[in-house]
PDB file of all heavy atoms in Angstrom:
ATOM      1  N   SER A  21     103.681  98.313  97.957  1.00 98.00           N
ATOM      2  CA  SER A  21     102.397  97.797  98.439  1.00 98.00           C
ATOM      3  C   SER A  21     102.470  97.276  99.873  1.00 98.00           C
ATOM      4  O   SER A  21     101.464  97.258 100.587  1.00 98.00           O
ATOM      5  CB  SER A  21     101.899  96.676  97.519  1.00 98.00           C
ATOM      6  OG  SER A  21     102.608  95.456  97.738  1.00 98.00           O
ATOM      7  N   ALA A  22     103.654  96.850 100.320  1.00 98.00           N
ATOM      8  CA  ALA A  22     103.766  96.199 101.623  1.00 98.00           C
ATOM      9  C   ALA A  22     103.402  97.119 102.789  1.00 98.00           C
ATOM     10  O   ALA A  22     102.567  96.741 103.632  1.00 98.00           O
ATOM     11  CB  ALA A  22     105.169  95.620 101.804  1.00 98.00           C
ATOM     12  N   PRO A  23     103.997  98.315 102.902  1.00 98.00           N
ATOM     13  CA  PRO A  23     103.596  99.169 104.033  1.00 98.00           C
ATOM     14  C   PRO A  23     102.147  99.630 103.949  1.00 98.00           C
ATOM     15  O   PRO A  23     101.482  99.804 104.982  1.00 98.00           O
ATOM     16  CB  PRO A  23     104.571 100.360 103.938  1.00 98.00           C
ATOM     17  CG  PRO A  23     105.058 100.359 102.535  1.00 98.00           C
ATOM     18  CD  PRO A  23     105.079  98.920 102.120  1.00 98.00           C
ATOM     19  N   ILE A  24     101.641  99.805 102.734  1.00 98.00           N
ATOM     20  CA  ILE A  24     100.239 100.203 102.566  1.00 98.00           C
ATOM     21  C   ILE A  24      99.324  99.085 103.059  1.00 98.00           C
ATOM     22  O   ILE A  24      98.362  99.326 103.797  1.00 98.00           O
ATOM     23  CB  ILE A  24      99.949 100.538 101.095  1.00 98.00           C
ATOM     24  CG1 ILE A  24     100.780 101.756 100.665  1.00 98.00           C
ATOM     25  CG2 ILE A  24      98.462 100.807 100.881  1.00 98.00           C
ATOM     26  CD1 ILE A  24     100.720 102.042  99.178  1.00 98.00           C
ATOM     27  N   ALA A  25      99.656  97.848 102.672  1.00 98.00           N
ATOM     28  CA  ALA A  25      98.858  96.699 103.118  1.00 98.00           C
ATOM     29  C   ALA A  25      98.911  96.564 104.632  1.00 98.00           C
ATOM     30  O   ALA A  25      97.892  96.308 105.285  1.00 98.00           O
ATOM     31  CB  ALA A  25      99.362  95.421 102.449  1.00 98.00           C
ATOM     32  N   ALA A  26     100.105  96.732 105.201  1.00 98.00           N
ATOM     33  CA  ALA A  26     100.238  96.609 106.658  1.00 98.00           C
ATOM     34  C   ALA A  26      99.377  97.643 107.373  1.00 98.00           C
ATOM     35  O   ALA A  26      98.691  97.329 108.353  1.00 98.00           O
ATOM     36  CB  ALA A  26     101.703  96.778 107.053  1.00 98.00           C
ATOM     37  N   PHE A  27      99.395  98.851 106.874  1.00 98.00           N
ATOM     38  CA  PHE A  27      98.659  99.942 107.526  1.00 98.00           C
ATOM     39  C   PHE A  27      97.157  99.712 107.494  1.00 98.00           C
ATOM     40  O   PHE A  27      96.465  99.911 108.494  1.00 98.00           O
ATOM     41  CB  PHE A  27      99.008 101.274 106.866  1.00 98.00           C
ATOM     42  CG  PHE A  27      98.420 102.463 107.575  1.00 98.00           C
ATOM     43  CD1 PHE A  27      99.047 102.997 108.685  1.00 98.00           C
ATOM     44  CD2 PHE A  27      97.233 103.035 107.143  1.00 98.00           C
ATOM     45  CE1 PHE A  27      98.504 104.091 109.361  1.00 98.00           C
ATOM     46  CE2 PHE A  27      96.682 104.127 107.799  1.00 98.00           C
ATOM     47  CZ  PHE A  27      97.316 104.658 108.913  1.00 98.00           C
ATOM     48  N   PHE A  28      96.651  99.274 106.334  1.00 98.00           N
ATOM     49  CA  PHE A  28      95.204  99.167 106.172  1.00 98.00           C
ATOM     50  C   PHE A  28      94.634  97.791 106.538  1.00 98.00           C
ATOM     51  O   PHE A  28      93.416  97.657 106.655  1.00 98.00           O
ATOM     52  CB  PHE A  28      94.806  99.515 104.729  1.00 98.00           C
ATOM     53  CG  PHE A  28      94.905 100.987 104.422  1.00 98.00           C
ATOM     54  CD1 PHE A  28      95.941 101.478 103.660  1.00 98.00           C
ATOM     55  CD2 PHE A  28      93.976 101.878 104.932  1.00 98.00           C
ATOM     56  CE1 PHE A  28      96.040 102.837 103.378  1.00 98.00           C
ATOM     57  CE2 PHE A  28      94.062 103.238 104.664  1.00 98.00           C
ATOM     58  CZ  PHE A  28      95.103 103.717 103.890  1.00 98.00           C
ATOM     59  N   MET A  29      95.496  96.791 106.734  1.00 97.00           N
ATOM     60  CA  MET A  29      94.995  95.450 107.023  1.00 97.00           C
ATOM     61  C   MET A  29      95.132  95.071 108.494  1.00 97.00           C
ATOM     62  O   MET A  29      94.898  93.912 108.856  1.00 97.00           O
ATOM     63  CB  MET A  29      95.701  94.428 106.134  1.00 97.00           C
ATOM     64  CG  MET A  29      95.422  94.626 104.648  1.00 97.00           C
ATOM     65  SD  MET A  29      96.318  93.457 103.589  1.00 97.00           S
ATOM     66  CE  MET A  29      95.344  91.968 103.844  1.00 97.00           C
ATOM     67  N   GLY A  30      95.526  96.034 109.343  1.00 96.00           N
ATOM     68  CA  GLY A  30      95.521  95.753 110.776  1.00 96.00           C
ATOM     69  C   GLY A  30      96.868  95.618 111.440  1.00 96.00           C
ATOM     70  O   GLY A  30      96.946  95.241 112.613  1.00 96.00           O
ATOM     71  N   TRP A  31      97.956  95.932 110.718  1.00 98.00           N
ATOM     72  CA  TRP A  31      99.295  95.868 111.315  1.00 98.00           C
ATOM     73  C   TRP A  31     100.018  97.203 111.121  1.00 98.00           C
ATOM     74  O   TRP A  31     101.121  97.249 110.568  1.00 98.00           O
ATOM     75  CB  TRP A  31     100.108  94.737 110.689  1.00 98.00           C
ATOM     76  CG  TRP A  31      99.555  93.380 110.967  1.00 98.00           C
ATOM     77  CD1 TRP A  31      99.775  92.618 112.073  1.00 98.00           C
ATOM     78  CD2 TRP A  31      98.693  92.611 110.109  1.00 98.00           C
ATOM     79  NE1 TRP A  31      99.112  91.424 111.973  1.00 98.00           N
ATOM     80  CE2 TRP A  31      98.433  91.387 110.774  1.00 98.00           C
ATOM     81  CE3 TRP A  31      98.119  92.831 108.860  1.00 98.00           C
ATOM     82  CZ2 TRP A  31      97.628  90.402 110.222  1.00 98.00           C
ATOM     83  CZ3 TRP A  31      97.321  91.854 108.313  1.00 98.00           C
ATOM     84  CH2 TRP A  31      97.073  90.658 108.991  1.00 98.00           C
ATOM     85  N   PRO A  32      99.429  98.310 111.574  1.00 97.00           N
ATOM     86  CA  PRO A  32     100.059  99.620 111.351  1.00 97.00           C
ATOM     87  C   PRO A  32     101.421  99.753 112.031  1.00 97.00           C
ATOM     88  O   PRO A  32     102.241 100.567 111.601  1.00 97.00           O
ATOM     89  CB  PRO A  32      99.038 100.603 111.936  1.00 97.00           C
ATOM     90  CG  PRO A  32      98.255  99.796 112.923  1.00 97.00           C
ATOM     91  CD  PRO A  32      98.171  98.420 112.336  1.00 97.00           C
ATOM     92  N   HIS A  33     101.659  98.962 113.084  1.00 97.00           N
ATOM     93  CA  HIS A  33     102.946  99.033 113.777  1.00 97.00           C
ATOM     94  C   HIS A  33     104.094  98.484 112.930  1.00 97.00           C
ATOM     95  O   HIS A  33     105.255  98.712 113.266  1.00 97.00           O
ATOM     96  CB  HIS A  33     102.865  98.287 115.117  1.00 97.00           C
ATOM     97  CG  HIS A  33     102.337  96.897 115.018  1.00 97.00           C
ATOM     98  ND1 HIS A  33     101.034  96.621 114.635  1.00 97.00           N
ATOM     99  CD2 HIS A  33     102.922  95.691 115.254  1.00 97.00           C
ATOM    100  CE1 HIS A  33     100.842  95.304 114.645  1.00 97.00           C
ATOM    101  NE2 HIS A  33     101.963  94.730 114.998  1.00 97.00           N
ATOM    102  N   TYR A  34     103.773  97.759 111.857  1.00 98.00           N
ATOM    103  CA  TYR A  34     104.811  97.269 110.946  1.00 98.00           C
ATOM    104  C   TYR A  34     105.043  98.219 109.772  1.00 98.00           C
ATOM    105  O   TYR A  34     105.997  98.061 109.023  1.00 98.00           O
ATOM    106  CB  TYR A  34     104.422  95.901 110.380  1.00 98.00           C
ATOM    107  CG  TYR A  34     104.403  94.767 111.373  1.00 98.00           C
ATOM    108  CD1 TYR A  34     103.554  93.675 111.188  1.00 98.00           C
ATOM    109  CD2 TYR A  34     105.241  94.767 112.492  1.00 98.00           C
ATOM    110  CE1 TYR A  34     103.534  92.619 112.094  1.00 98.00           C
ATOM    111  CE2 TYR A  34     105.215  93.720 113.398  1.00 98.00           C
ATOM    112  CZ  TYR A  34     104.364  92.643 113.194  1.00 98.00           C
ATOM    113  OH  TYR A  34     104.355  91.595 114.084  1.00 98.00           O
ATOM    114  N   ALA A  35     104.150  99.183 109.591  1.00 98.00           N
ATOM    115  CA  ALA A  35     104.155  99.992 108.373  1.00 98.00           C
ATOM    116  C   ALA A  35     105.427 100.825 108.218  1.00 98.00           C
ATOM    117  O   ALA A  35     105.974 100.931 107.105  1.00 98.00           O
ATOM    118  CB  ALA A  35     102.920 100.891 108.323  1.00 98.00           C
ATOM    119  N   LEU A  36     105.911 101.413 109.312  1.00 98.00           N
ATOM    120  CA  LEU A  36     107.092 102.276 109.207  1.00 98.00           C
ATOM    121  C   LEU A  36     108.312 101.479 108.754  1.00 98.00           C
ATOM    122  O   LEU A  36     109.031 101.904 107.832  1.00 98.00           O
ATOM    123  CB  LEU A  36     107.376 102.967 110.540  1.00 98.00           C
ATOM    124  CG  LEU A  36     108.647 103.836 110.575  1.00 98.00           C
ATOM    125  CD1 LEU A  36     108.592 104.928 109.521  1.00 98.00           C
ATOM    126  CD2 LEU A  36     108.864 104.422 111.967  1.00 98.00           C
ATOM    127  N   ALA A  37     108.552 100.343 109.392  1.00 98.00           N
ATOM    128  CA  ALA A  37     109.706  99.524 109.010  1.00 98.00           C
ATOM    129  C   ALA A  37     109.584  99.064 107.559  1.00 98.00           C
ATOM    130  O   ALA A  37     110.566  99.082 106.800  1.00 98.00           O
ATOM    131  CB  ALA A  37     109.835  98.319 109.943  1.00 98.00           C
ATOM    132  N   LEU A  38     108.382  98.671 107.154  1.00 98.00           N
ATOM    133  CA  LEU A  38     108.172  98.236 105.770  1.00 98.00           C
ATOM    134  C   LEU A  38     108.341  99.399 104.790  1.00 98.00           C
ATOM    135  O   LEU A  38     108.833  99.210 103.673  1.00 98.00           O
ATOM    136  CB  LEU A  38     106.787  97.606 105.618  1.00 98.00           C
ATOM    137  CG  LEU A  38     106.631  96.217 106.239  1.00 98.00           C
ATOM    138  CD1 LEU A  38     105.152  95.827 106.317  1.00 98.00           C
ATOM    139  CD2 LEU A  38     107.410  95.173 105.426  1.00 98.00           C
ATOM    140  N   ALA A  39     107.957 100.595 105.209  1.00 98.00           N
ATOM    141  CA  ALA A  39     108.138 101.767 104.351  1.00 98.00           C
ATOM    142  C   ALA A  39     109.624 102.065 104.145  1.00 98.00           C
ATOM    143  O   ALA A  39     110.053 102.427 103.036  1.00 98.00           O
ATOM    144  CB  ALA A  39     107.432 102.975 104.946  1.00 98.00           C
ATOM    145  N   ILE A  40     110.417 101.909 105.202  1.00 98.00           N
ATOM    146  CA  ILE A  40     111.864 102.115 105.077  1.00 98.00           C
ATOM    147  C   ILE A  40     112.463 101.054 104.150  1.00 98.00           C
ATOM    148  O   ILE A  40     113.318 101.358 103.308  1.00 98.00           O
ATOM    149  CB  ILE A  40     112.537 102.084 106.460  1.00 98.00           C
ATOM    150  CG1 ILE A  40     112.012 103.233 107.326  1.00 98.00           C
ATOM    151  CG2 ILE A  40     114.054 102.176 106.323  1.00 98.00           C
ATOM    152  CD1 ILE A  40     112.453 103.157 108.782  1.00 98.00           C
ATOM    153  N   MET A  41     111.999  99.811 104.290  1.00 98.00           N
ATOM    154  CA  MET A  41     112.460  98.750 103.397  1.00 98.00           C
ATOM    155  C   MET A  41     112.110  99.064 101.947  1.00 98.00           C
ATOM    156  O   MET A  41     112.922  98.871 101.031  1.00 98.00           O
ATOM    157  CB  MET A  41     111.848  97.405 103.801  1.00 98.00           C
ATOM    158  CG  MET A  41     112.312  96.858 105.130  1.00 98.00           C
ATOM    159  SD  MET A  41     111.509  95.275 105.533  1.00 98.00           S
ATOM    160  CE  MET A  41     110.975  95.573 107.220  1.00 98.00           C
ATOM    161  N   ALA A  42     110.887  99.545 101.721  1.00 98.00           N
ATOM    162  CA  ALA A  42     110.460  99.898 100.363  1.00 98.00           C
ATOM    163  C   ALA A  42     111.328 101.018  99.802  1.00 98.00           C
ATOM    164  O   ALA A  42     111.720 100.979  98.623  1.00 98.00           O
ATOM    165  CB  ALA A  42     108.989 100.303 100.367  1.00 98.00           C
ATOM    166  N   ALA A  43     111.647 102.003 100.643  1.00 98.00           N
ATOM    167  CA  ALA A  43     112.504 103.108 100.193  1.00 98.00           C
ATOM    168  C   ALA A  43     113.888 102.595  99.808  1.00 98.00           C
ATOM    169  O   ALA A  43     114.475 103.049  98.809  1.00 98.00           O
ATOM    170  CB  ALA A  43     112.614 104.166 101.290  1.00 98.00           C
ATOM    171  N   LEU A  44     114.407 101.634 100.576  1.00 98.00           N
ATOM    172  CA  LEU A  44     115.709 101.053 100.245  1.00 98.00           C
ATOM    173  C   LEU A  44     115.655 100.303  98.925  1.00 98.00           C
ATOM    174  O   LEU A  44     116.563 100.413  98.093  1.00 98.00           O
ATOM    175  CB  LEU A  44     116.160 100.119 101.371  1.00 98.00           C
ATOM    176  CG  LEU A  44     117.473  99.358 101.154  1.00 98.00           C
ATOM    177  CD1 LEU A  44     118.626 100.332 100.918  1.00 98.00           C
ATOM    178  CD2 LEU A  44     117.773  98.450 102.350  1.00 98.00           C
ATOM    179  N   VAL A  45     114.576  99.550  98.720  1.00 97.00           N
ATOM    180  CA  VAL A  45     114.412  98.824  97.453  1.00 97.00           C
ATOM    181  C   VAL A  45     114.353  99.802  96.281  1.00 97.00           C
ATOM    182  O   VAL A  45     114.983  99.582  95.236  1.00 97.00           O
ATOM    183  CB  VAL A  45     113.152  97.935  97.496  1.00 97.00           C
ATOM    184  CG1 VAL A  45     112.797  97.412  96.108  1.00 97.00           C
ATOM    185  CG2 VAL A  45     113.357  96.767  98.458  1.00 97.00           C
ATOM    186  N   LEU A  46     113.633 100.891  96.435  1.00 98.00           N
ATOM    187  CA  LEU A  46     113.553 101.899  95.371  1.00 98.00           C
ATOM    188  C   LEU A  46     114.925 102.514  95.115  1.00 98.00           C
ATOM    189  O   LEU A  46     115.313 102.741  93.954  1.00 98.00           O
ATOM    190  CB  LEU A  46     112.538 102.982  95.730  1.00 98.00           C
ATOM    191  CG  LEU A  46     111.071 102.554  95.782  1.00 98.00           C
ATOM    192  CD1 LEU A  46     110.197 103.733  96.199  1.00 98.00           C
ATOM    193  CD2 LEU A  46     110.598 102.005  94.448  1.00 98.00           C
ATOM    194  N   TRP A  47     115.659 102.801  96.180  1.00 97.00           N
ATOM    195  CA  TRP A  47     117.003 103.372  96.016  1.00 97.00           C
ATOM    196  C   TRP A  47     117.911 102.406  95.275  1.00 97.00           C
ATOM    197  O   TRP A  47     118.683 102.816  94.401  1.00 97.00           O
ATOM    198  CB  TRP A  47     117.579 103.704  97.385  1.00 97.00           C
ATOM    199  CG  TRP A  47     118.977 104.263  97.307  1.00 97.00           C
ATOM    200  CD1 TRP A  47     119.355 105.509  96.893  1.00 97.00           C
ATOM    201  CD2 TRP A  47     120.179 103.571  97.662  1.00 97.00           C
ATOM    202  NE1 TRP A  47     120.730 105.629  96.951  1.00 97.00           N
ATOM    203  CE2 TRP A  47     121.259 104.459  97.430  1.00 97.00           C
ATOM    204  CE3 TRP A  47     120.451 102.282  98.158  1.00 97.00           C
ATOM    205  CZ2 TRP A  47     122.584 104.101  97.668  1.00 97.00           C
ATOM    206  CZ3 TRP A  47     121.763 101.933  98.397  1.00 97.00           C
ATOM    207  CH2 TRP A  47     122.814 102.834  98.151  1.00 97.00           C
ATOM    208  N   ARG A  48     117.798 101.116  95.579  1.00 95.00           N
ATOM    209  CA  ARG A  48     118.617 100.115  94.893  1.00 95.00           C
ATOM    210  C   ARG A  48     118.215  99.976  93.428  1.00 95.00           C
ATOM    211  O   ARG A  48     118.996  99.478  92.617  1.00 95.00           O
ATOM    212  CB  ARG A  48     118.486  98.762  95.607  1.00 95.00           C
ATOM    213  CG  ARG A  48     119.078  98.728  96.997  1.00 95.00           C
ATOM    214  CD  ARG A  48     120.587  98.821  96.975  1.00 95.00           C
ATOM    215  NE  ARG A  48     121.183  97.624  96.399  1.00 95.00           N
ATOM    216  CZ  ARG A  48     122.454  97.512  96.042  1.00 95.00           C
ATOM    217  NH1 ARG A  48     123.263  98.550  96.160  1.00 95.00           N
ATOM    218  NH2 ARG A  48     122.920  96.389  95.541  1.00 95.00           N
ATOM    219  N   HIS A  49     117.017 100.413  93.090  1.00 95.00           N
ATOM    220  CA  HIS A  49     116.533 100.348  91.712  1.00 95.00           C
ATOM    221  C   HIS A  49     116.666 101.687  90.981  1.00 95.00           C
ATOM    222  O   HIS A  49     116.044 101.880  89.943  1.00 95.00           O
ATOM    223  CB  HIS A  49     115.053  99.925  91.682  1.00 95.00           C
ATOM    224  CG  HIS A  49     114.834  98.460  91.859  1.00 95.00           C
ATOM    225  ND1 HIS A  49     114.796  97.852  93.097  1.00 95.00           N
ATOM    226  CD2 HIS A  49     114.622  97.464  90.952  1.00 95.00           C
ATOM    227  CE1 HIS A  49     114.555  96.552  92.945  1.00 95.00           C
ATOM    228  NE2 HIS A  49     114.458  96.285  91.655  1.00 95.00           N
ATOM    229  N   ARG A  50     117.491 102.609  91.505  1.00 95.00           N
ATOM    230  CA  ARG A  50     117.523 103.942  90.907  1.00 95.00           C
ATOM    231  C   ARG A  50     117.955 103.928  89.439  1.00 95.00           C
ATOM    232  O   ARG A  50     117.427 104.708  88.627  1.00 95.00           O
ATOM    233  CB  ARG A  50     118.412 104.879  91.734  1.00 95.00           C
ATOM    234  CG  ARG A  50     119.837 104.435  91.926  1.00 95.00           C
ATOM    235  CD  ARG A  50     120.477 105.202  93.088  1.00 95.00           C
ATOM    236  NE  ARG A  50     121.893 104.854  93.274  1.00 95.00           N
ATOM    237  CZ  ARG A  50     122.320 103.769  93.905  1.00 95.00           C
ATOM    238  NH1 ARG A  50     121.434 102.900  94.397  1.00 95.00           N
ATOM    239  NH2 ARG A  50     123.613 103.549  94.040  1.00 95.00           N
ATOM    240  N   ALA A  51     118.865 103.031  89.058  1.00 93.00           N
ATOM    241  CA  ALA A  51     119.255 102.933  87.642  1.00 93.00           C
ATOM    242  C   ALA A  51     118.099 102.395  86.807  1.00 93.00           C
ATOM    243  O   ALA A  51     117.878 102.844  85.669  1.00 93.00           O
ATOM    244  CB  ALA A  51     120.484 102.048  87.488  1.00 93.00           C
TER     245      ALA A  51
END
C-alpha cells in the first residue's frame, strides 16, 4: 500500500523507493 499511497497522494517521487522496499518485504516473506 505504501508506494500506491505515495503515488496517488502527492508524493510520486517517493513511490519507486517505496516499491523497492515493498518488493524486499515480499521477498523476505517468501516462506
